[in-house]
Amino acid sequence: MADVLRQWLHEVGVDARDLEQDFANGYLFGKLLYQYNLQPDLASFVDKGKPDAFVKNYVKLQPTLTKLGVQFDTRTAQALINKEHGLAARVLYQIKQSLDTMSKDYQAVEHTGRTIQQFGLRTASPTKGLLDSQNFKSQQAAYQSGNLKFFEDVMRKKSQSPNAMMESLHLKKFADEGSRQTAAAAEGAAAEKARQDLKRATFRDTERAKLAVVRNDKANKLDRDEAVHAAILKHQVGCVRFLQPVCGTKTPLTTAVTQGHAAM
Protein backbone atom coordinates (compact mmCIF):
# COMPACT_ATOMS: atom_id res chain seq x y z
CA MET A 1 0.00 0.00 0.00
CA ALA A 2 2.87 2.37 0.80
CA ASP A 3 4.22 2.17 -2.76
CA VAL A 4 0.77 2.98 -4.20
CA LEU A 5 0.47 5.97 -1.88
CA ARG A 6 3.95 7.24 -2.79
CA GLN A 7 3.09 7.00 -6.49
CA TRP A 8 -0.14 8.93 -5.92
CA LEU A 9 1.66 11.58 -3.86
CA HIS A 10 4.32 11.95 -6.55
CA GLU A 11 1.64 12.44 -9.20
CA VAL A 12 0.10 15.34 -7.25
CA GLY A 13 3.48 16.94 -6.49
CA VAL A 14 4.10 15.71 -2.95
CA ASP A 15 7.30 13.67 -2.70
CA ALA A 16 7.88 11.60 0.43
CA ARG A 17 10.22 8.71 1.07
CA ASP A 18 9.52 7.97 4.73
CA LEU A 19 5.80 8.57 5.33
CA GLU A 20 6.04 8.60 9.14
CA GLN A 21 9.02 10.96 9.15
CA ASP A 22 7.95 13.29 6.33
CA PHE A 23 4.32 13.73 7.44
CA ALA A 24 5.02 14.00 11.20
CA ASN A 25 4.75 17.80 11.48
CA GLY A 26 1.60 18.00 9.34
CA TYR A 27 3.05 20.28 6.67
CA LEU A 28 2.86 17.73 3.85
CA PHE A 29 -0.74 16.94 4.74
CA GLY A 30 -1.47 20.62 4.20
CA LYS A 31 0.45 20.61 0.92
CA LEU A 32 -1.45 17.56 -0.30
CA LEU A 33 -4.82 19.14 0.49
CA TYR A 34 -3.64 22.40 -1.08
CA GLN A 35 -3.03 20.54 -4.34
CA TYR A 36 -6.73 19.63 -4.31
CA ASN A 37 -7.83 23.21 -3.46
CA LEU A 38 -8.91 22.07 -0.01
CA GLN A 39 -6.32 23.90 2.10
CA PRO A 40 -5.87 27.39 0.66
CA ASP A 41 -3.96 28.64 3.73
CA LEU A 42 -0.87 26.52 3.07
CA ALA A 43 1.30 29.65 3.29
CA SER A 44 0.56 29.84 7.01
CA PHE A 45 1.78 26.30 7.65
CA VAL A 46 5.20 25.83 9.23
CA ASP A 47 7.57 23.16 7.96
CA LYS A 48 9.60 22.71 11.16
CA GLY A 49 10.05 20.01 13.77
CA LYS A 50 9.02 22.10 16.77
CA PRO A 51 5.99 21.64 19.08
CA ASP A 52 4.42 24.99 18.21
CA ALA A 53 4.70 24.14 14.49
CA PHE A 54 3.01 20.77 15.09
CA VAL A 55 0.12 22.38 16.93
CA LYS A 56 -0.34 25.18 14.40
CA ASN A 57 -0.37 22.81 11.42
CA TYR A 58 -2.68 20.21 12.91
CA VAL A 59 -5.16 22.79 14.21
CA LYS A 60 -5.47 24.07 10.63
CA LEU A 61 -5.77 20.54 9.22
CA GLN A 62 -8.42 19.28 11.64
CA PRO A 63 -11.51 20.99 10.08
CA THR A 64 -10.59 19.91 6.55
CA LEU A 65 -9.84 16.32 7.52
CA THR A 66 -13.04 16.12 9.57
CA LYS A 67 -15.12 17.32 6.60
CA LEU A 68 -13.43 14.70 4.46
CA GLY A 69 -14.61 12.05 6.90
CA VAL A 70 -11.11 11.18 8.08
CA GLN A 71 -10.94 9.93 11.67
CA PHE A 72 -8.75 12.62 13.17
CA ASP A 73 -8.57 13.62 16.82
CA THR A 74 -5.87 14.71 19.27
CA ARG A 75 -4.73 11.13 19.81
CA THR A 76 -4.28 10.66 16.08
CA ALA A 77 -2.39 13.94 15.82
CA GLN A 78 -0.12 13.00 18.74
CA ALA A 79 0.53 9.57 17.24
CA LEU A 80 1.43 11.18 13.91
CA ILE A 81 3.82 13.52 15.72
CA ASN A 82 5.33 10.47 17.46
CA LYS A 83 5.72 8.81 14.02
CA GLU A 84 3.65 5.77 14.94
CA HIS A 85 4.41 3.04 12.41
CA GLY A 86 1.82 2.75 9.65
CA LEU A 87 -0.44 5.57 10.88
CA ALA A 88 0.56 8.16 8.27
CA ALA A 89 -0.18 5.62 5.52
CA ARG A 90 -3.62 4.86 7.01
CA VAL A 91 -4.54 8.55 7.22
CA LEU A 92 -3.32 9.13 3.66
CA TYR A 93 -5.37 6.17 2.45
CA GLN A 94 -8.51 7.63 4.09
CA ILE A 95 -7.80 10.99 2.44
CA LYS A 96 -7.35 9.33 -0.96
CA GLN A 97 -10.60 7.40 -0.62
CA SER A 98 -12.52 10.56 0.33
CA LEU A 99 -11.01 12.52 -2.56
CA ASP A 100 -11.88 9.74 -5.00
CA THR A 101 -15.47 9.77 -3.71
CA MET A 102 -15.68 13.56 -4.04
CA SER A 103 -14.37 13.37 -7.59
CA LYS A 104 -17.06 10.86 -8.52
CA ASP A 105 -19.75 13.02 -6.87
CA TYR A 106 -18.60 16.11 -8.73
CA GLN A 107 -18.60 14.24 -12.03
CA ALA A 108 -22.14 13.07 -11.28
CA VAL A 109 -23.24 16.67 -10.67
CA GLU A 110 -21.73 17.77 -14.00
CA HIS A 111 -23.37 14.82 -15.76
CA THR A 112 -26.84 15.85 -14.57
CA GLY A 113 -26.35 19.32 -16.03
CA ARG A 114 -27.09 21.08 -12.74
CA THR A 115 -25.12 24.27 -12.27
CA ILE A 116 -22.39 24.77 -9.73
CA GLN A 117 -24.27 27.76 -8.29
CA GLN A 118 -27.12 25.45 -7.23
CA PHE A 119 -24.72 23.90 -4.75
CA GLY A 120 -23.41 27.21 -3.48
CA LEU A 121 -20.02 26.79 -5.15
CA ARG A 122 -19.02 30.37 -5.88
CA THR A 123 -15.25 30.02 -5.69
CA ALA A 124 -12.81 28.94 -8.36
CA SER A 125 -12.10 25.78 -6.41
CA PRO A 126 -15.05 23.46 -7.03
CA THR A 127 -13.60 20.67 -4.91
CA LYS A 128 -13.45 22.92 -1.87
CA GLY A 129 -16.97 24.16 -2.56
CA LEU A 130 -18.29 20.65 -2.96
CA LEU A 131 -16.69 19.68 0.33
CA ASP A 132 -18.30 22.64 2.10
CA SER A 133 -21.67 21.88 0.50
CA GLN A 134 -21.60 18.41 1.99
CA ASN A 135 -21.30 19.90 5.50
CA PHE A 136 -23.86 22.69 5.38
CA LYS A 137 -26.29 21.54 8.10
CA SER A 138 -26.34 23.92 11.06
CA GLN A 139 -26.22 21.20 13.73
CA GLN A 140 -23.35 19.45 12.01
CA ALA A 141 -21.50 22.74 11.55
CA ALA A 142 -21.99 23.57 15.25
CA TYR A 143 -20.70 20.15 16.26
CA GLN A 144 -17.65 20.51 14.04
CA SER A 145 -17.00 23.96 15.43
CA GLY A 146 -17.11 22.67 19.00
CA ASN A 147 -14.96 19.72 18.06
CA LEU A 148 -12.37 22.05 16.53
CA LYS A 149 -12.37 24.19 19.67
CA PHE A 150 -11.77 21.13 21.84
CA PHE A 151 -9.06 19.88 19.48
CA GLU A 152 -7.31 23.24 19.51
CA ASP A 153 -7.48 23.54 23.31
CA VAL A 154 -5.98 20.08 23.84
CA MET A 155 -3.23 20.64 21.28
CA ARG A 156 -2.34 24.02 22.72
CA LYS A 157 -2.15 22.58 26.23
CA LYS A 158 0.32 20.09 24.87
CA SER A 159 2.29 22.90 23.25
CA GLN A 160 2.48 24.74 26.59
CA SER A 161 4.74 21.92 27.79
CA PRO A 162 7.05 21.57 24.79
CA ASN A 163 9.63 19.80 26.91
CA ALA A 164 7.22 16.93 27.50
CA MET A 165 6.42 16.74 23.80
CA MET A 166 10.06 16.80 22.77
CA GLU A 167 10.86 14.28 25.49
CA SER A 168 8.18 12.01 24.05
CA LEU A 169 9.70 12.35 20.60
CA HIS A 170 13.19 11.75 21.99
CA LEU A 171 12.16 8.69 24.01
CA LYS A 172 10.23 7.18 21.13
CA LYS A 173 13.40 6.09 19.36
CA PHE A 174 14.46 4.22 22.50
CA ALA A 175 11.05 2.61 22.74
CA ASP A 176 11.31 1.63 19.09
CA GLU A 177 14.78 0.21 19.69
CA GLY A 178 13.45 -1.73 22.68
CA SER A 179 10.65 -3.15 20.53
CA ARG A 180 13.17 -4.05 17.84
CA GLN A 181 15.43 -5.80 20.34
CA THR A 182 12.48 -7.66 21.84
CA ALA A 183 11.40 -8.81 18.39
CA ALA A 184 14.98 -9.80 17.54
CA ALA A 185 15.29 -11.76 20.81
CA ALA A 186 12.01 -13.55 20.12
CA GLU A 187 13.15 -14.33 16.60
CA GLY A 188 16.50 -15.61 17.91
CA ALA A 189 14.76 -17.79 20.51
CA ALA A 190 12.48 -19.21 17.84
CA ALA A 191 15.47 -19.94 15.60
CA GLU A 192 17.34 -21.64 18.48
CA LYS A 193 14.28 -23.74 19.31
CA ALA A 194 13.97 -24.77 15.66
CA ARG A 195 17.68 -25.69 15.64
CA GLN A 196 17.32 -27.79 18.79
CA ASP A 197 14.20 -29.48 17.45
CA LEU A 198 16.05 -30.33 14.22
CA LYS A 199 19.02 -31.65 16.22
CA ARG A 200 16.75 -33.92 18.30
CA ALA A 201 14.89 -35.12 15.22
CA THR A 202 18.18 -35.88 13.46
CA PHE A 203 19.43 -37.78 16.53
CA ARG A 204 16.22 -39.84 16.69
CA ASP A 205 16.41 -40.65 12.99
CA THR A 206 20.07 -41.69 13.35
CA GLU A 207 19.33 -43.95 16.31
CA ARG A 208 16.36 -45.51 14.53
CA ALA A 209 18.56 -46.17 11.50
CA LYS A 210 21.18 -47.83 13.72
CA LEU A 211 18.53 -50.04 15.36
CA ALA A 212 17.19 -51.01 11.95
CA VAL A 213 20.70 -52.03 10.85
CA VAL A 214 21.17 -54.11 14.02
CA ARG A 215 17.80 -55.83 13.56
CA ASN A 216 18.59 -56.53 9.92
CA ASP A 217 22.02 -57.97 10.83
CA LYS A 218 20.44 -60.23 13.47
CA ALA A 219 17.79 -61.42 11.04
CA ASN A 220 20.43 -62.15 8.39
CA LYS A 221 22.60 -64.02 10.94
CA LEU A 222 19.62 -66.09 12.08
CA ASP A 223 18.84 -66.96 8.46
CA ARG A 224 22.49 -67.97 7.89
CA ASP A 225 22.58 -70.08 11.06
CA GLU A 226 19.39 -71.85 10.09
CA ALA A 227 20.78 -72.51 6.60
CA VAL A 228 24.04 -73.91 8.02
CA HIS A 229 22.14 -76.10 10.49
CA ALA A 230 19.90 -77.41 7.74
CA ALA A 231 22.94 -78.14 5.54
CA ILE A 232 24.66 -80.03 8.37
CA LEU A 233 21.58 -82.12 9.01
CA LYS A 234 21.20 -82.83 5.33
CA HIS A 235 24.82 -83.91 5.14
CA GLN A 236 24.41 -86.18 8.14
CA VAL A 237 21.31 -87.80 6.65
CA GLY A 238 23.22 -88.42 3.41
CA CYS A 239 26.01 -90.10 5.29
CA VAL A 240 23.57 -92.32 7.17
CA ARG A 241 21.87 -93.42 3.97
CA PHE A 242 25.28 -94.16 2.47
CA LEU A 243 26.31 -96.30 5.44
CA GLN A 244 23.08 -98.29 5.78
CA PRO A 245 23.65 -100.61 2.75
CA VAL A 246 27.19 -101.29 3.94
CA CYS A 247 26.44 -101.99 7.59
CA GLY A 248 23.05 -103.51 7.14
CA THR A 249 21.97 -102.38 10.58
CA LYS A 250 21.11 -99.05 12.15
CA THR A 251 23.51 -97.76 14.72
CA PRO A 252 22.40 -95.46 17.50
CA LEU A 253 24.05 -92.58 15.64
CA THR A 254 22.27 -93.26 12.36
CA THR A 255 18.98 -93.70 14.18
CA ALA A 256 19.36 -90.33 15.95
CA VAL A 257 20.29 -88.55 12.73
CA THR A 258 17.39 -90.13 10.88
CA GLN A 259 14.96 -89.17 13.64
CA GLY A 260 16.37 -85.64 13.70
CA HIS A 261 15.89 -85.33 9.94
CA ALA A 262 12.34 -86.70 10.21
CA ALA A 263 11.57 -84.17 12.91
CA MET A 264 12.60 -81.39 10.53
Side-chain angles (χ1 to χ4, degrees):
M1 182 176 70
D3 291 338
V4 175
L5 290 173
R6 289 190 187 92
Q7 179 63 30
W8 167 58
L9 292 171
H10 178 72
E11 291 174 355
V12 298
V14 179
D15 292 325
R17 294 184 177 181
D18 186 331
L19 297 182
E20 284 77 18
Q21 176 68 35
D22 295 341
F23 281 86
N25 67 2
Y27 177 81
L28 285 188
F29 283 116
K31 184 176 180 180
L32 172 63
L33 296 172
Y34 176 80
Q35 299 297 87
Y36 283 90
N37 298 318
L38 292 176
Q39 198 74 47
D41 57 349
L42 178 64
S44 62
F45 277 63
V46 181
D47 188 13
K48 293 182 179 180
K50 296 182 179 180
D52 56 344
F54 298 153
V55 173
K56 186 174 183 179
N57 292 344
Y58 281 114
V59 166
K60 292 180 178 297
L61 286 170
Q62 196 272 346
T64 306
L65 294 176
T66 300
K67 289 179 182 180
L68 279 172
V70 176
Q71 297 179 357
F72 192 80
D73 53 19
T74 55
R75 287 176 296 180
T76 303
Q78 188 62 50
L80 286 168
I81 293 171
N82 290 337
K83 305 170 188 176
E84 180 179 312
H85 180 70
L87 180 58
R90 292 195 295 272
V91 173
L92 286 168
Y93 183 72
Q94 291 183 55
I95 293 174
K96 186 176 186 301
Q97 282 189 315
S98 297
L99 292 174
D100 289 344
T101 300
M102 287 182 60
S103 178
K104 292 178 182 178
D105 291 344
Y106 185 70
Q107 291 174 5
V109 170
E110 287 188 324
H111 181 70
T112 59
R114 302 174 72 178
T115 63
I116 293 177
Q117 285 75 15
Q118 288 178 281
F119 289 87
L121 314 183
R122 299 186 179 87
T123 67
S125 54
T127 307
K128 171 67 175 175
L130 182 59
L131 178 63
D132 291 339
S133 72
Q134 293 175 343
N135 296 272
F136 67 93
K137 294 181 180 180
S138 58
Q139 291 182 351
Q140 186 176 8
Y143 171 78
Q144 290 178 354
S145 177
N147 191 32
L148 173 60
K149 184 66 169 59
F150 173 77
F151 181 91
E152 185 174 357
D153 289 344
V154 172
M155 293 300 292
R156 293 203 180 283
K157 285 180 181 179
K158 291 180 180 294
S159 69
Q160 290 173 3
S161 56
N163 290 337
M165 183 177 290
M166 295 305 292
E167 181 182 0
S168 176
L169 290 173
H170 179 69
L171 292 178
K172 183 179 182 298
K173 62 182 180 182
F174 295 102
D176 291 343
E177 177 62 18
S179 299
R180 187 195 66 78
Q181 291 183 6
T182 300
E187 183 178 352
E192 178 62 21
K193 183 179 182 301
R195 190 182 70 81
Q196 293 295 335
D197 290 344
L198 178 60
K199 183 179 179 180
R200 285 191 292 269
T202 302
F203 177 77
R204 286 196 300 268
D205 292 343
T206 301
E207 292 301 309
R208 287 171 181 170
K210 290 179 180 179
L211 288 174
V213 170
V214 171
R215 291 193 188 101
N216 187 59
D217 289 344
K218 287 183 178 180
N220 290 338
K221 186 177 183 301
L222 181 60
D223 290 342
R224 289 194 302 270
D225 290 346
E226 289 180 351
V228 169
H229 182 65
I232 292 172
L233 289 178
K234 184 177 180 181
H235 178 71
Q236 290 176 345
V237 171
C239 291
V240 169
R241 289 177 179 174
F242 176 76
L243 294 173
Q244 280 181 350
V246 178
C247 300
T249 59
K250 294 183 178 180
T251 64
L253 174 61
T254 59
T255 302
V257 171
T258 303
Q259 289 177 352
H261 183 269
M264 291 178 62

